[in-house]
Amino acid sequence: MKQRNLGRTGPVSSAIGLGCMGMSDLYGPADEQEGIATIHAALDAGITLLDTGDFYGMGHNEMLIREALRGRQREQVQISVKFGALRDIDGNWIGMDNRPQAVKNFLAYSLRRLGTDHIDIYRPARLDTSVPIEDTIGAIADQIKAGHVKHIGLSEVGVDTIRRAHAVHPIADLQIEYSLLSRGIEKEILATCRELGIGITAYGVLSRGLISGHWQADRAVTVNDFRARSPRFTPENLKHNLELTEALRKFAAAKNATPAQIAIAWVAAQGDDIVPLVGARRRERLSESLGATEVVLNKDDLARLDQLFPVGVAAGDRYATQVMAHLDSEAQH
Protein backbone atom coordinates (compact mmCIF):
# COMPACT_ATOMS: atom_id res chain seq x y z
CA MET A 1 0.00 0.00 0.00
CA LYS A 2 1.38 3.39 -0.99
CA GLN A 3 1.37 6.19 1.54
CA ARG A 4 0.49 9.86 1.48
CA ASN A 5 1.06 12.76 3.85
CA LEU A 6 -2.09 14.29 5.27
CA GLY A 7 -1.08 17.89 4.81
CA ARG A 8 2.21 19.49 5.80
CA THR A 9 1.69 18.86 9.51
CA GLY A 10 -0.45 15.72 9.53
CA PRO A 11 0.42 12.05 9.80
CA VAL A 12 1.55 9.69 7.05
CA SER A 13 -1.46 7.69 5.96
CA SER A 14 -2.16 4.84 3.62
CA ALA A 15 -3.14 6.11 0.16
CA ILE A 16 -6.68 4.85 0.81
CA GLY A 17 -8.54 5.05 4.11
CA LEU A 18 -11.46 3.02 5.41
CA GLY A 19 -14.66 4.84 6.32
CA CYS A 20 -16.38 2.75 8.98
CA MET A 21 -19.76 4.50 9.32
CA GLY A 22 -21.81 1.99 7.33
CA MET A 23 -20.75 -0.83 9.62
CA SER A 24 -22.95 0.67 12.34
CA ASP A 25 -25.37 3.19 10.93
CA LEU A 26 -27.15 5.06 8.14
CA TYR A 27 -26.93 2.46 5.35
CA GLY A 28 -29.45 -0.05 6.62
CA PRO A 29 -28.72 -3.34 8.44
CA ALA A 30 -25.07 -4.26 8.88
CA ASP A 31 -23.29 -7.42 10.03
CA GLU A 32 -21.06 -6.60 13.00
CA GLN A 33 -18.76 -9.60 12.59
CA GLU A 34 -18.37 -8.91 8.87
CA GLY A 35 -17.53 -5.32 9.74
CA ILE A 36 -14.77 -6.46 12.08
CA ALA A 37 -13.51 -8.91 9.46
CA THR A 38 -13.48 -6.09 6.90
CA ILE A 39 -11.39 -3.89 9.19
CA HIS A 40 -8.99 -6.79 9.71
CA ALA A 41 -8.73 -7.29 5.94
CA ALA A 42 -8.08 -3.57 5.46
CA LEU A 43 -5.30 -3.55 8.05
CA ASP A 44 -3.75 -6.66 6.53
CA ALA A 45 -3.80 -4.95 3.11
CA GLY A 46 -1.87 -1.97 4.48
CA ILE A 47 -4.70 0.48 5.15
CA THR A 48 -3.79 2.47 8.25
CA LEU A 49 -6.45 5.21 8.35
CA LEU A 50 -9.77 4.33 9.99
CA ASP A 51 -12.43 7.04 9.93
CA THR A 52 -15.36 7.17 12.33
CA GLY A 53 -17.63 9.51 14.26
CA ASP A 54 -18.69 9.28 17.89
CA PHE A 55 -22.32 9.55 16.73
CA TYR A 56 -22.13 6.63 14.26
CA GLY A 57 -24.52 4.18 15.86
CA MET A 58 -24.38 6.30 19.03
CA GLY A 59 -20.90 5.08 19.87
CA HIS A 60 -21.33 1.60 18.42
CA ASN A 61 -18.85 2.27 15.62
CA GLU A 62 -16.10 3.26 18.03
CA MET A 63 -16.68 0.11 20.07
CA LEU A 64 -16.62 -1.94 16.86
CA ILE A 65 -13.23 -0.43 15.99
CA ARG A 66 -12.00 -1.15 19.51
CA GLU A 67 -12.90 -4.81 19.07
CA ALA A 68 -11.32 -4.94 15.61
CA LEU A 69 -8.06 -3.46 16.91
CA ARG A 70 -7.79 -5.89 19.80
CA GLY A 71 -4.37 -7.56 19.54
CA ARG A 72 -3.17 -5.07 16.88
CA GLN A 73 -0.37 -2.55 17.35
CA ARG A 74 -2.02 0.80 18.06
CA GLU A 75 0.84 2.85 16.59
CA GLN A 76 0.32 1.26 13.17
CA VAL A 77 -3.18 2.74 12.85
CA GLN A 78 -4.47 6.30 12.58
CA ILE A 79 -7.95 6.76 14.04
CA SER A 80 -9.86 9.79 12.79
CA VAL A 81 -12.91 10.79 14.85
CA LYS A 82 -15.63 13.36 14.18
CA PHE A 83 -17.55 14.78 17.13
CA GLY A 84 -20.23 17.30 17.97
CA ALA A 85 -23.32 15.95 16.21
CA LEU A 86 -26.28 15.54 18.55
CA ARG A 87 -28.95 12.86 18.11
CA ASP A 88 -32.06 11.81 19.96
CA ILE A 89 -33.11 8.31 21.01
CA ASP A 90 -34.63 7.65 17.57
CA GLY A 91 -31.44 8.66 15.77
CA ASN A 92 -32.75 12.03 14.58
CA TRP A 93 -30.23 14.85 14.15
CA ILE A 94 -30.90 17.61 16.69
CA GLY A 95 -27.96 19.99 16.36
CA MET A 96 -24.25 20.53 16.93
CA ASP A 97 -22.29 21.21 20.09
CA ASN A 98 -18.70 22.37 19.57
CA ARG A 99 -18.26 24.28 22.82
CA PRO A 100 -14.84 23.84 24.51
CA GLN A 101 -16.41 21.91 27.40
CA ALA A 102 -18.19 19.68 24.89
CA VAL A 103 -14.85 18.92 23.23
CA LYS A 104 -13.56 17.58 26.56
CA ASN A 105 -16.71 15.57 27.15
CA PHE A 106 -16.96 13.99 23.69
CA LEU A 107 -13.23 13.21 23.66
CA ALA A 108 -13.36 11.47 27.05
CA TYR A 109 -16.20 9.23 25.90
CA SER A 110 -14.48 8.43 22.60
CA LEU A 111 -11.22 7.47 24.28
CA ARG A 112 -13.13 5.12 26.58
CA ARG A 113 -15.14 3.52 23.78
CA LEU A 114 -12.09 3.14 21.53
CA GLY A 115 -9.95 1.76 24.36
CA THR A 116 -7.06 4.06 23.53
CA ASP A 117 -5.21 6.93 25.19
CA HIS A 118 -5.15 9.15 22.11
CA ILE A 119 -6.96 9.94 18.89
CA ASP A 120 -4.82 10.63 15.85
CA ILE A 121 -7.09 13.17 14.13
CA TYR A 122 -9.95 14.83 15.98
CA ARG A 123 -12.41 17.05 14.16
CA PRO A 124 -15.78 18.75 14.59
CA ALA A 125 -18.23 16.97 12.29
CA ARG A 126 -19.86 20.21 11.17
CA LEU A 127 -19.58 23.89 11.98
CA ASP A 128 -21.45 24.96 15.11
CA THR A 129 -22.50 28.49 14.19
CA SER A 130 -23.12 29.38 17.84
CA VAL A 131 -19.47 28.78 18.78
CA PRO A 132 -16.49 30.62 17.24
CA ILE A 133 -14.36 28.08 15.38
CA GLU A 134 -11.35 29.57 17.18
CA ASP A 135 -12.75 28.40 20.52
CA THR A 136 -13.35 24.85 19.27
CA ILE A 137 -9.90 24.53 17.70
CA GLY A 138 -8.27 26.04 20.78
CA ALA A 139 -9.97 23.43 22.95
CA ILE A 140 -8.69 20.59 20.73
CA ALA A 141 -5.21 22.17 20.76
CA ASP A 142 -5.31 21.98 24.57
CA GLN A 143 -5.95 18.23 24.24
CA ILE A 144 -2.93 17.94 21.95
CA LYS A 145 -0.81 19.51 24.71
CA ALA A 146 -2.31 17.00 27.15
CA GLY A 147 -1.37 14.12 24.82
CA HIS A 148 -4.91 12.94 24.10
CA VAL A 149 -5.01 14.11 20.47
CA LYS A 150 -2.26 14.09 17.82
CA HIS A 151 -3.69 16.26 15.02
CA ILE A 152 -6.68 18.51 14.29
CA GLY A 153 -8.93 18.08 11.28
CA LEU A 154 -11.99 19.83 9.89
CA SER A 155 -15.08 18.56 8.10
CA GLU A 156 -17.39 20.18 5.53
CA VAL A 157 -16.37 23.79 6.15
CA GLY A 158 -15.72 26.64 3.75
CA VAL A 159 -12.65 28.76 3.07
CA ASP A 160 -13.27 31.43 5.72
CA THR A 161 -13.67 28.82 8.46
CA ILE A 162 -10.62 26.92 7.21
CA ARG A 163 -8.44 30.03 7.41
CA ARG A 164 -9.72 31.01 10.84
CA ALA A 165 -9.18 27.51 12.22
CA HIS A 166 -5.71 27.17 10.71
CA ALA A 167 -4.68 30.50 12.26
CA VAL A 168 -5.28 29.02 15.71
CA HIS A 169 -3.53 25.68 15.16
CA PRO A 170 -2.20 23.89 12.05
CA ILE A 171 -4.93 21.79 10.45
CA ALA A 172 -3.89 18.35 9.17
CA ASP A 173 -6.77 17.69 6.80
CA LEU A 174 -10.23 18.65 5.69
CA GLN A 175 -12.72 15.83 5.37
CA ILE A 176 -15.21 16.61 2.64
CA GLU A 177 -17.24 14.91 -0.05
CA TYR A 178 -15.37 14.67 -3.35
CA SER A 179 -16.23 12.44 -6.28
CA LEU A 180 -16.98 12.43 -9.98
CA LEU A 181 -20.49 13.58 -9.04
CA SER A 182 -19.51 16.03 -6.26
CA ARG A 183 -16.80 18.41 -7.39
CA GLY A 184 -17.74 21.54 -5.46
CA ILE A 185 -14.41 21.75 -3.63
CA GLU A 186 -12.65 22.49 -6.91
CA LYS A 187 -14.07 26.02 -6.94
CA GLU A 188 -12.29 27.47 -3.87
CA ILE A 189 -11.85 24.99 -1.06
CA LEU A 190 -9.22 22.74 -2.63
CA ALA A 191 -7.00 25.66 -3.62
CA THR A 192 -7.27 27.14 -0.12
CA CYS A 193 -6.28 23.86 1.50
CA ARG A 194 -3.29 23.55 -0.83
CA GLU A 195 -2.21 27.11 -0.08
CA LEU A 196 -2.24 26.34 3.64
CA GLY A 197 -0.76 22.84 3.38
CA ILE A 198 -3.94 21.07 4.49
CA GLY A 199 -4.64 17.57 3.15
CA ILE A 200 -7.99 16.25 1.96
CA THR A 201 -9.68 13.07 3.14
CA ALA A 202 -12.39 12.56 0.55
CA TYR A 203 -15.56 10.73 1.53
CA GLY A 204 -18.48 9.78 -0.69
CA VAL A 205 -16.09 8.82 -3.50
CA LEU A 206 -18.72 6.38 -4.83
CA SER A 207 -21.59 8.79 -4.11
CA ARG A 208 -23.08 6.41 -1.54
CA GLY A 209 -22.84 3.51 -3.95
CA LEU A 210 -24.56 5.37 -6.78
CA ILE A 211 -21.56 5.14 -9.12
CA SER A 212 -20.21 1.89 -7.73
CA GLY A 213 -21.71 -0.12 -10.58
CA HIS A 214 -23.70 -2.19 -8.07
CA TRP A 215 -26.75 0.02 -7.60
CA GLN A 216 -29.94 -1.06 -9.33
CA ALA A 217 -32.90 1.20 -10.14
CA ASP A 218 -35.33 -1.16 -8.42
CA ARG A 219 -33.29 -1.69 -5.27
CA ALA A 220 -35.37 -1.48 -2.11
CA VAL A 221 -34.09 0.97 0.48
CA THR A 222 -34.94 0.62 4.18
CA VAL A 223 -36.29 3.59 6.09
CA ASN A 224 -33.12 3.87 8.20
CA ASP A 225 -30.94 4.07 5.09
CA PHE A 226 -29.64 7.60 4.38
CA ARG A 227 -30.30 7.05 0.68
CA ALA A 228 -34.07 6.88 1.28
CA ARG A 229 -33.90 10.67 1.77
CA SER A 230 -31.04 11.51 -0.58
CA PRO A 231 -32.07 13.69 -3.55
CA ARG A 232 -29.81 11.78 -5.94
CA PHE A 233 -31.70 8.55 -5.23
CA THR A 234 -35.21 9.87 -5.79
CA PRO A 235 -37.01 8.28 -8.77
CA GLU A 236 -36.91 11.48 -10.80
CA ASN A 237 -33.12 11.83 -10.39
CA LEU A 238 -32.00 8.21 -10.20
CA LYS A 239 -32.56 7.44 -13.89
CA HIS A 240 -30.23 10.24 -14.99
CA ASN A 241 -27.60 9.37 -12.40
CA LEU A 242 -27.58 5.68 -13.30
CA GLU A 243 -27.10 6.65 -16.94
CA LEU A 244 -23.90 8.36 -15.80
CA THR A 245 -22.91 5.14 -14.07
CA GLU A 246 -23.41 3.23 -17.32
CA ALA A 247 -21.08 5.65 -19.10
CA LEU A 248 -18.56 5.04 -16.33
CA ARG A 249 -19.03 1.29 -16.71
CA LYS A 250 -18.12 1.46 -20.41
CA PHE A 251 -15.05 3.57 -19.64
CA ALA A 252 -14.01 1.15 -16.88
CA ALA A 253 -14.39 -1.91 -19.12
CA ALA A 254 -11.90 -0.42 -21.56
CA LYS A 255 -9.43 -0.09 -18.67
CA ASN A 256 -10.09 -3.63 -17.39
CA ALA A 257 -11.47 -2.15 -14.20
CA THR A 258 -14.82 -1.75 -12.45
CA PRO A 259 -16.75 1.53 -12.16
CA ALA A 260 -15.94 1.70 -8.45
CA GLN A 261 -12.23 1.30 -9.10
CA ILE A 262 -12.23 4.08 -11.69
CA ALA A 263 -14.21 6.38 -9.40
CA ILE A 264 -11.77 5.85 -6.52
CA ALA A 265 -8.72 6.12 -8.78
CA TRP A 266 -10.03 9.41 -10.21
CA VAL A 267 -10.23 10.98 -6.75
CA ALA A 268 -6.74 9.72 -5.89
CA ALA A 269 -5.42 11.11 -9.18
CA GLN A 270 -6.51 14.65 -8.29
CA GLY A 271 -3.44 15.10 -6.10
CA ASP A 272 -1.02 13.41 -3.74
CA ASP A 273 -2.56 15.44 -0.94
CA ILE A 274 -5.89 13.61 -1.27
CA VAL A 275 -6.74 10.34 0.49
CA PRO A 276 -9.99 8.69 -0.67
CA LEU A 277 -12.04 7.05 2.06
CA VAL A 278 -13.81 3.90 0.92
CA GLY A 279 -16.92 2.98 2.88
CA ALA A 280 -16.73 -0.78 2.36
CA ARG A 281 -18.83 -2.77 4.86
CA ARG A 282 -17.90 -6.19 3.48
CA ARG A 283 -14.64 -7.83 2.51
CA GLU A 284 -15.66 -8.35 -1.10
CA ARG A 285 -16.37 -4.63 -1.57
CA LEU A 286 -13.11 -3.76 0.16
CA SER A 287 -11.20 -6.10 -2.15
CA GLU A 288 -12.73 -4.42 -5.17
CA SER A 289 -11.90 -0.95 -3.82
CA LEU A 290 -8.29 -1.91 -3.16
CA GLY A 291 -8.02 -2.75 -6.86
CA ALA A 292 -8.22 1.00 -7.51
CA THR A 293 -4.61 1.32 -6.37
CA GLU A 294 -3.56 -0.64 -9.46
CA VAL A 295 -5.50 1.60 -11.88
CA VAL A 296 -3.41 4.13 -13.78
CA LEU A 297 -5.30 7.04 -15.33
CA ASN A 298 -3.29 8.96 -17.95
CA LYS A 299 -3.99 12.49 -19.17
CA ASP A 300 -6.33 11.27 -21.90
CA ASP A 301 -8.25 9.18 -19.38
CA LEU A 302 -8.64 12.13 -17.03
CA ALA A 303 -9.73 14.39 -19.88
CA ARG A 304 -12.35 11.85 -20.96
CA LEU A 305 -13.69 11.55 -17.41
CA ASP A 306 -13.92 15.34 -17.23
CA GLN A 307 -16.08 15.20 -20.35
CA LEU A 308 -18.30 12.48 -18.93
CA PHE A 309 -18.57 14.06 -15.48
CA PRO A 310 -18.37 17.85 -15.73
CA VAL A 311 -18.99 19.91 -12.60
CA GLY A 312 -22.68 19.83 -11.76
CA VAL A 313 -23.52 16.79 -13.88
CA ALA A 314 -25.42 14.95 -11.14
CA ALA A 315 -29.17 15.26 -10.80
CA GLY A 316 -30.03 16.34 -7.26
CA ASP A 317 -28.00 17.79 -4.40
CA ARG A 318 -25.75 15.58 -2.30
CA TYR A 319 -27.93 16.11 0.79
CA ALA A 320 -31.55 17.07 1.40
CA THR A 321 -32.32 20.80 1.27
CA GLN A 322 -32.48 21.30 5.05
CA VAL A 323 -29.11 19.59 5.49
CA MET A 324 -27.46 21.53 2.66
CA ALA A 325 -28.52 24.75 4.41
CA HIS A 326 -26.31 23.82 7.39
CA LEU A 327 -23.21 22.93 5.38
CA ASP A 328 -20.60 25.67 5.77
CA SER A 329 -18.76 24.17 2.78
CA GLU A 330 -21.77 24.85 0.56
CA ALA A 331 -22.67 28.25 1.96
CA GLN A 332 -19.49 29.88 0.69
CA HIS A 333 -19.54 28.99 -2.97
Side-chain angles (χ1 to χ4, degrees), residues 7-9 158-160 162-164 166-167 170-172 174 185 187-200 273:
R8 281 200 289 263
T9 63
V159 294
D160 180 60
I162 293 168
R163 291 187 184 280
R164 288 170 56 195
H166 191 71
I171 301 299
L174 170 69
I185 72 167
K187 186 174 182 181
E188 293 179 287
I189 292 174
L190 185 55
T192 299
C193 286
R194 285 177 169 162
E195 173 196 335
L196 300 175
I198 298 171
I200 299 288
D273 52 352

Side-chain angles (χ1 to χ4, degrees), residues 30-174:
D31 183 324
E32 184 171 308
Q33 291 307 309
E34 181 61 23
I36 291 172
T38 301
I39 293 174
H40 287 165
L43 297 174
D44 292 342
I47 286 180
T48 62
L49 180 63
L50 301 180
D51 182 76
T52 186
D54 63 12
F55 47 91
Y56 292 168
M58 280 72 161
H60 175 272
N61 203 237
E62 290 179 318
M63 292 187 286
L64 183 85
I65 290 173
R66 175 179 183 163
E67 183 62 31
L69 293 182
R70 196 179 301 278
R72 301 275 177 159
Q73 292 184 303
R74 174 66 180 87
E75 62 272 17
Q76 293 183 350
V77 180
Q78 296 98 32
I79 303 175
S80 166
V81 178
K82 292 179 289 297
F83 72 90
L86 305 176
R87 304 177 74 179
D88 66 17
I89 197 166
D90 296 316
N92 299 309
W93 306 97
I94 56 174
M96 287 295 302
D97 188 355
N98 292 351
R99 296 170 301 149
Q101 59 265 50
V103 170
K104 291 182 179 180
N105 175 80
F106 288 131
L107 177 61
Y109 277 64
S110 284
L111 291 172
R112 178 67 63 90
R113 284 189 293 257
L114 286 163
T116 184
D117 62 355
H118 72 278
I119 289 170
D120 297 277
I121 312 172
Y122 202 51
R123 71 184 82 239
R126 296 289 185 269
L127 181 67
D128 180 350
T129 55
S130 67
V131 179
I133 190 64
E134 291 85 353
D135 292 356
T136 304
I137 299 303
I140 305 174
D142 288 342
Q143 297 303 316
I144 290 179
K145 293 174 186 174
H148 303 312
V149 172
K150 297 292 186 184
H151 304 279
I152 302 176
L154 294 170
S155 177
E156 287 288 356
V157 291
V159 294
D160 180 60
T161 304
I162 293 168
R163 291 187 184 280
R164 288 170 56 195
H166 191 71
V168 175
H169 188 280
I171 301 299
D173 70 312
L174 170 69

Side-chain angles (χ1 to χ4, degrees), residues 178-179 182-191 266 270 306 311:
Y178 191 28
S179 72
S182 300
R183 299 178 60 177
I185 72 167
E186 294 175 2
K187 186 174 182 181
E188 293 179 287
I189 292 174
L190 185 55
W266 180 85
Q270 301 312 301
D306 273 343
V311 175

Side-chain angles (χ1 to χ4, degrees), residues 243-260:
E243 287 173 356
L244 295 173
T245 305
E246 286 309 305
L248 182 60
R249 193 189 305 278
K250 292 176 182 177
F251 178 94
K255 297 287 292 183
N256 293 315
T258 68

Side-chain angles (χ1 to χ4, degrees), residues 293-321:
T293 61
E294 304 299 321
V295 173
V296 177
L297 298 174
N298 59 38
K299 289 182 179 180
D300 290 341
D301 294 329
L302 294 172
R304 178 59 179 152
L305 288 169
D306 273 343
Q307 290 177 335
L308 292 172
F309 295 89
V311 175
V313 71
D317 286 331
R318 55 195 185 99
Y319 287 100
T321 303

